[in-house]
Amino acid sequence: NPALALNIINRSMSSIHLPMKQYAPDGGYPDGYGYWDYGTSFNILFIAAIEKVFQTDFGLSQSPGFLKTGNYHLNMLGPFGYCFNYSDCFTSYPEKNISPAMFWLANKNKERQSIFNQLNIIKQSGTGLIEDNRLLPATLIWSLKMPFEDGPKPLSNCWFGKGETPVALMRSDWDNRDAIFVGFKGGSPSVSHSHLDIGSFVLDALGERWSMDFPMQEYNELETKGVNIWDLSQNSQRWEIFRYNNMAHSTLSFNGANQRVKGYAPITKTTSDPNFLSAISNLSSAYNGQVDSVSRGIAIVNKNYVIVKDEIVTSSNESTVRWTMVTPANVQILENGNAILSKNGKKLELRVVEPSGAIIKTWSTKPTKDYEAQNNGTSLVGFEVKLPKNTKNSLTVLMVPKNKNEITIKKISPLQNWAGGN
């Protein structure tokens, strides 16, 4: 029935423009790593089928940002297999799961840099690639004329994306599994599948993840208990789930309140100097009514250590801010605002530079409801401090991997001076 078939195809080509708008302007994806693989894979399957039949994709692949989206996926994966698993991402460790879509994009763009991670996964996983990958045969088709020897190393150690969920993805190196990797996000909790996680970050170093994001809990586990997880209003039951609110992310909380669902945090400034990779986000609207303004900057300095710097202006009321980082490491609290995080024989120093006299604490990650996923082997580490009303305040935290080399810490500049590095 060619007439009916053509009608269905035409309607499909019209409606697929709606989700493809999400890739603008530079290839980022609002729903995160896991949903990128799901949505982009089937998007490409559709385009590939249309192109095969009609010898054209009718301009679909030229949608703003679409052919650039391989750079997003490439940079979302850290140096030893952990991804930046923000929003409803099922796992932080894709491990053996290659993405056939990346081979289609590499072929379309006539480059191999974007499949750097894919080739490494193939080389390391061997026959384990078959595991849980229903689209694997597409890899054979889309890589048919592509050599499988090691691909060229990506040229840049950072990628900054705009769009509905702006992210900053930075690393000290591509070749070294012990490299530092930071994923930092802005955006809005009102975006599909989002959490109250504006300003959150993940951190890898020395072959370990130190600052983490909990993977999503299975939808069915919550829905069968009557939890309405799809209501994105401010007082939704969704935000009562521990893993979904800002108290369970590596970000800030004021007076124990939730972030504002309608808030939006853009990334306002970035630097791509290999010795000072940085990004700054204006988080103010995520805390509307709690404080007057909040900016967070994160930087990798000299490829050796990480700065997380917050600048906060309070309103006419004093406010208690909690700085937290979710970690799977063991935490040893020292004096003078220092702590040592340990994992698998590796160590990372967490040092509170500002405010002076801050006392590091840990908090449990045990959820309050019996139907919530357990968070065994994790804790929250950070500090609380009271901020006087109508004042400007800075919170500055260093994270220093403890390897054999002594690391020199530079003077830390205000965020307004970060454009030129530190």
Side-chain angles (χ1 to χ4, degrees), residues 54-67:
F54 296 103
Q55 306 306 306
T56 176
D57 66 6
F58 299 95
L60 288 176
S61 64
Q62 301 306 312
S63 298
F66 186 70
L67 290 181

Side-chain angles (χ1 to χ4, degrees), residues 30 86 123 233 253 286 331 342 349 390 412:
Y86 67 80
K123 182 169 61 177
S233 64
S253 301
V331 180
S342 303
E349 179 186 0
N390 300 319
I412 302 167

